[in-house]
Amino acid sequence: MKAIRLIQPGRPLEMQDVSIPSIGPNDILVAVKAAGICHSDAHYRLGRSPVHPLPMTLGHEVAGVIETVGAEVEHLKAGERVCLHYMATCGHCEYCLKGSEQFCKTGKMIGKYRDGGFAEFIAVPARSAFVLPPEIPFEHGAVMMCSSATALHALHKARLKPGETVAVYGAGGLGASAIQLARASGAQQVFAVDIKTAKLDLARQLGAIPIHGAQLDPVSEIRRMSGGRGVDVAVELIGLPHTMGQAFKSLAIQGRLAIAGITEHGFQIAPYWDLINKEAEIIGVSDHLAQEIPELIEWARRGTLDLSQVISRTVPL
Ligand SMILES: [Zn+2]
Ligand SMILES: [Zn+2]
């Protein structure tokens, strides 16, 4: 089969001819119909984030049709449309058992630590697959499995409740989902901060109040538009110390900041004013959970989560 592989960081990906993966008794083989190209894939190609062993077939946002199922797989059958959770996990370690399987002791992300979906076929544990209803196109099913799932996990980690207010820092792929999911969860007011006008226009269309972070100070704008209160939940999806600081300062009393943007650099907080005095919280968001995917699929099926504008371009394998 054809597969698009990372051979060496810093070099273009290459099309290779590889064998169709074999499956174990608890695995499934999926004929890939759509695979998202994520910003992380650009990081992997550049060597900014580890990928091993090499060569590796990239692609961690995958949807397709089941080709074959392993001997012990009972809940899925050939011909079913599925989308794939990107963590291939063991299902029985301490973390898998308590529902935090992103920390699975032997877990491997597809397209990073085991072959991914930029190929004609992919093999994954059957527990990674979720049936994709006919109303959801494969393309949506694919991108949903990364940016939308992580956005939903961030809102869950921040314990967003109906009637609360939200600030989304970063209105890209993750942000477009975060805005829609926050609104679907009953957020009363959603602010979207970005420095790209096109992204802010999309944020407005999705029902957020756009704030241009380069033209205005988002912290004072959010305070001004919330009657001085700030927001109950802020999500940082950019990965910059500066915007993490702004997101934290945007919080209301007992506000929660969930950080999903990635950086190795620190950001400063004033513990008395910004943390203690408000009983504010800073929460880390690592990937997402398989158990969150059915909720996501249901919102996409109903059209509450519309991903048509997140897909900017489609290219053949
Ligand atoms: Zn991704
Ligand atoms: Zn495990």
Side-chain angles (χ1 to χ4, degrees), residues 36-41 44 60-61 86 109 143 145-147:
I37 302 174
C38 180
H39 197 73
S40 305
D41 293 310
Y44 303 160
H60 57 267
E61 308 178 357
Y86 67 46
M109 183 172 166
V143 298
M145 302 308 283
C146 182
S147 53

PDB file of all heavy atoms in Angstrom, residues 36-41 44 60-61 86 109 143 145-147, ligand 1:
ATOM      1  N   GLY A  36      -6.541  14.030   8.672  1.00  0.00           N
ATOM      2  CA  GLY A  36      -6.257  15.454   8.820  1.00  0.00           C
ATOM      3  C   GLY A  36      -4.757  15.725   8.867  1.00  0.00           C
ATOM      4  O   GLY A  36      -3.993  14.933   9.410  1.00  0.00           O
ATOM      5  N   ILE A  37      -4.372  16.843   8.247  1.00  0.00           N
ATOM      6  CA  ILE A  37      -2.984  17.308   8.379  1.00  0.00           C
ATOM      7  C   ILE A  37      -3.009  18.356   9.485  1.00  0.00           C
ATOM      8  O   ILE A  37      -3.625  19.411   9.352  1.00  0.00           O
ATOM      9  CB  ILE A  37      -2.464  17.924   7.067  1.00  0.00           C
ATOM     10  CG1 ILE A  37      -2.554  16.896   5.934  1.00  0.00           C
ATOM     11  CG2 ILE A  37      -1.026  18.407   7.249  1.00  0.00           C
ATOM     12  CD1 ILE A  37      -2.192  17.453   4.558  1.00  0.00           C
ATOM     13  N   CYS A  38      -2.368  18.012  10.586  1.00  0.00           N
ATOM     14  CA  CYS A  38      -2.430  18.822  11.803  1.00  0.00           C
ATOM     15  C   CYS A  38      -1.173  19.689  11.888  1.00  0.00           C
ATOM     16  O   CYS A  38      -0.140  19.362  11.315  1.00  0.00           O
ATOM     17  CB  CYS A  38      -2.489  17.864  12.984  1.00  0.00           C
ATOM     18  SG  CYS A  38      -2.579  18.617  14.592  1.00  0.00           S
ATOM     19  N   HIS A  39      -1.285  20.780  12.650  1.00  0.00           N
ATOM     20  CA  HIS A  39      -0.090  21.602  12.872  1.00  0.00           C
ATOM     21  C   HIS A  39       1.018  20.771  13.519  1.00  0.00           C
ATOM     22  O   HIS A  39       2.198  20.988  13.253  1.00  0.00           O
ATOM     23  CB  HIS A  39      -0.439  22.813  13.740  1.00  0.00           C
ATOM     24  CG  HIS A  39       0.592  23.884  13.671  1.00  0.00           C
ATOM     25  ND1 HIS A  39       0.754  24.688  12.559  1.00  0.00           N
ATOM     26  CD2 HIS A  39       1.544  24.246  14.544  1.00  0.00           C
ATOM     27  CE1 HIS A  39       1.756  25.510  12.769  1.00  0.00           C
ATOM     28  NE2 HIS A  39       2.261  25.267  13.961  1.00  0.00           N
ATOM     29  N   SER A  40       0.637  19.789  14.339  1.00  0.00           N
ATOM     30  CA  SER A  40       1.640  18.916  14.969  1.00  0.00           C
ATOM     31  C   SER A  40       2.462  18.173  13.916  1.00  0.00           C
ATOM     32  O   SER A  40       3.646  17.918  14.123  1.00  0.00           O
ATOM     33  CB  SER A  40       0.972  17.872  15.859  1.00  0.00           C
ATOM     34  OG  SER A  40       0.156  18.484  16.802  1.00  0.00           O
ATOM     35  N   ASP A  41       1.838  17.820  12.791  1.00  0.00           N
ATOM     36  CA  ASP A  41       2.579  17.102  11.747  1.00  0.00           C
ATOM     37  C   ASP A  41       3.732  17.958  11.215  1.00  0.00           C
ATOM     38  O   ASP A  41       4.800  17.440  10.890  1.00  0.00           O
ATOM     39  CB  ASP A  41       1.635  16.691  10.602  1.00  0.00           C
ATOM     40  CG  ASP A  41       0.630  15.640  11.054  1.00  0.00           C
ATOM     41  OD1 ASP A  41       1.047  14.637  11.655  1.00  0.00           O
ATOM     42  OD2 ASP A  41      -0.575  15.825  10.814  1.00  0.00           O
ATOM     43  N   TYR A  44       6.420  17.651  13.729  1.00  0.00           N
ATOM     44  CA  TYR A  44       7.107  16.357  13.632  1.00  0.00           C
ATOM     45  C   TYR A  44       8.101  16.384  12.471  1.00  0.00           C
ATOM     46  O   TYR A  44       9.221  15.916  12.587  1.00  0.00           O
ATOM     47  CB  TYR A  44       6.112  15.202  13.404  1.00  0.00           C
ATOM     48  CG  TYR A  44       5.031  15.052  14.459  1.00  0.00           C
ATOM     49  CD1 TYR A  44       3.862  14.352  14.195  1.00  0.00           C
ATOM     50  CD2 TYR A  44       5.185  15.616  15.727  1.00  0.00           C
ATOM     51  CE1 TYR A  44       2.874  14.215  15.149  1.00  0.00           C
ATOM     52  CE2 TYR A  44       4.190  15.480  16.684  1.00  0.00           C
ATOM     53  CZ  TYR A  44       3.032  14.788  16.381  1.00  0.00           C
ATOM     54  OH  TYR A  44       2.050  14.651  17.323  1.00  0.00           O
ATOM     55  N   HIS A  60      -2.572  11.455  12.522  1.00  0.00           N
ATOM     56  CA  HIS A  60      -3.225  10.998  13.754  1.00  0.00           C
ATOM     57  C   HIS A  60      -4.706  11.390  13.806  1.00  0.00           C
ATOM     58  O   HIS A  60      -5.370  11.179  14.802  1.00  0.00           O
ATOM     59  CB  HIS A  60      -2.469  11.535  14.990  1.00  0.00           C
ATOM     60  CG  HIS A  60      -2.360  13.023  15.002  1.00  0.00           C
ATOM     61  ND1 HIS A  60      -1.278  13.696  14.491  1.00  0.00           N
ATOM     62  CD2 HIS A  60      -3.208  13.976  15.444  1.00  0.00           C
ATOM     63  CE1 HIS A  60      -1.465  14.995  14.618  1.00  0.00           C
ATOM     64  NE2 HIS A  60      -2.636  15.190  15.193  1.00  0.00           N
ATOM     65  N   GLU A  61      -5.212  11.984  12.723  1.00  0.00           N
ATOM     66  CA  GLU A  61      -6.633  12.366  12.673  1.00  0.00           C
ATOM     67  C   GLU A  61      -7.242  11.548  11.546  1.00  0.00           C
ATOM     68  O   GLU A  61      -7.105  11.909  10.386  1.00  0.00           O
ATOM     69  CB  GLU A  61      -6.756  13.864  12.370  1.00  0.00           C
ATOM     70  CG  GLU A  61      -5.926  14.724  13.318  1.00  0.00           C
ATOM     71  CD  GLU A  61      -5.986  16.219  13.011  1.00  0.00           C
ATOM     72  OE1 GLU A  61      -6.633  16.615  12.027  1.00  0.00           O
ATOM     73  OE2 GLU A  61      -5.379  16.983  13.779  1.00  0.00           O
ATOM     74  N   TYR A  86      -6.811   8.820  18.726  1.00  0.00           N
ATOM     75  CA  TYR A  86      -5.410   8.715  18.287  1.00  0.00           C
ATOM     76  C   TYR A  86      -4.456   8.029  19.257  1.00  0.00           C
ATOM     77  O   TYR A  86      -3.310   7.769  18.925  1.00  0.00           O
ATOM     78  CB  TYR A  86      -4.864  10.038  17.773  1.00  0.00           C
ATOM     79  CG  TYR A  86      -4.678  11.207  18.714  1.00  0.00           C
ATOM     80  CD1 TYR A  86      -4.081  11.073  19.955  1.00  0.00           C
ATOM     81  CD2 TYR A  86      -5.043  12.494  18.291  1.00  0.00           C
ATOM     82  CE1 TYR A  86      -3.871  12.178  20.761  1.00  0.00           C
ATOM     83  CE2 TYR A  86      -4.840  13.607  19.098  1.00  0.00           C
ATOM     84  CZ  TYR A  86      -4.248  13.438  20.336  1.00  0.00           C
ATOM     85  OH  TYR A  86      -4.034  14.516  21.123  1.00  0.00           O
ATOM     86  N   MET A 109       0.719   6.994  20.521  1.00  0.00           N
ATOM     87  CA  MET A 109      -0.070   7.825  19.619  1.00  0.00           C
ATOM     88  C   MET A 109       0.188   7.391  18.179  1.00  0.00           C
ATOM     89  O   MET A 109       1.335   7.192  17.791  1.00  0.00           O
ATOM     90  CB  MET A 109       0.323   9.287  19.813  1.00  0.00           C
ATOM     91  CG  MET A 109      -0.488  10.238  18.973  1.00  0.00           C
ATOM     92  SD  MET A 109      -0.101  11.941  19.439  1.00  0.00           S
ATOM     93  CE  MET A 109      -0.831  12.799  18.047  1.00  0.00           C
ATOM     94  N   VAL A 143     -10.878  15.243  11.464  1.00  0.00           N
ATOM     95  CA  VAL A 143     -10.324  16.398  12.197  1.00  0.00           C
ATOM     96  C   VAL A 143     -10.913  16.521  13.605  1.00  0.00           C
ATOM     97  O   VAL A 143     -10.266  17.036  14.517  1.00  0.00           O
ATOM     98  CB  VAL A 143     -10.481  17.746  11.440  1.00  0.00           C
ATOM     99  CG1 VAL A 143      -9.727  17.707  10.123  1.00  0.00           C
ATOM    100  CG2 VAL A 143     -11.933  18.105  11.222  1.00  0.00           C
ATOM    101  N   MET A 145     -11.150  14.276  15.674  1.00  0.00           N
ATOM    102  CA  MET A 145     -10.446  13.408  16.603  1.00  0.00           C
ATOM    103  C   MET A 145      -9.208  14.051  17.220  1.00  0.00           C
ATOM    104  O   MET A 145      -8.552  13.457  18.056  1.00  0.00           O
ATOM    105  CB  MET A 145     -10.060  12.103  15.897  1.00  0.00           C
ATOM    106  CG  MET A 145     -11.252  11.374  15.327  1.00  0.00           C
ATOM    107  SD  MET A 145     -12.566  11.122  16.529  1.00  0.00           S
ATOM    108  CE  MET A 145     -11.876   9.764  17.439  1.00  0.00           C
ATOM    109  N   CYS A 146      -8.876  15.241  16.777  1.00  0.00           N
ATOM    110  CA  CYS A 146      -7.708  15.908  17.379  1.00  0.00           C
ATOM    111  C   CYS A 146      -8.152  17.242  17.967  1.00  0.00           C
ATOM    112  O   CYS A 146      -8.317  17.390  19.167  1.00  0.00           O
ATOM    113  CB  CYS A 146      -6.613  16.082  16.345  1.00  0.00           C
ATOM    114  SG  CYS A 146      -5.125  16.836  16.999  1.00  0.00           S
ATOM    115  N   SER A 147      -8.373  18.233  17.095  1.00  0.00           N
ATOM    116  CA  SER A 147      -8.622  19.582  17.613  1.00  0.00           C
ATOM    117  C   SER A 147      -9.933  19.671  18.397  1.00  0.00           C
ATOM    118  O   SER A 147      -9.959  20.226  19.497  1.00  0.00           O
ATOM    119  CB  SER A 147      -8.617  20.588  16.476  1.00  0.00           C
ATOM    120  OG  SER A 147      -9.504  20.209  15.457  1.00  0.00           O
TER     121      SER A 147
HETATM  122 ZN    ZN B   1      -3.753  16.871  15.359  1.00  0.00          ZN
END
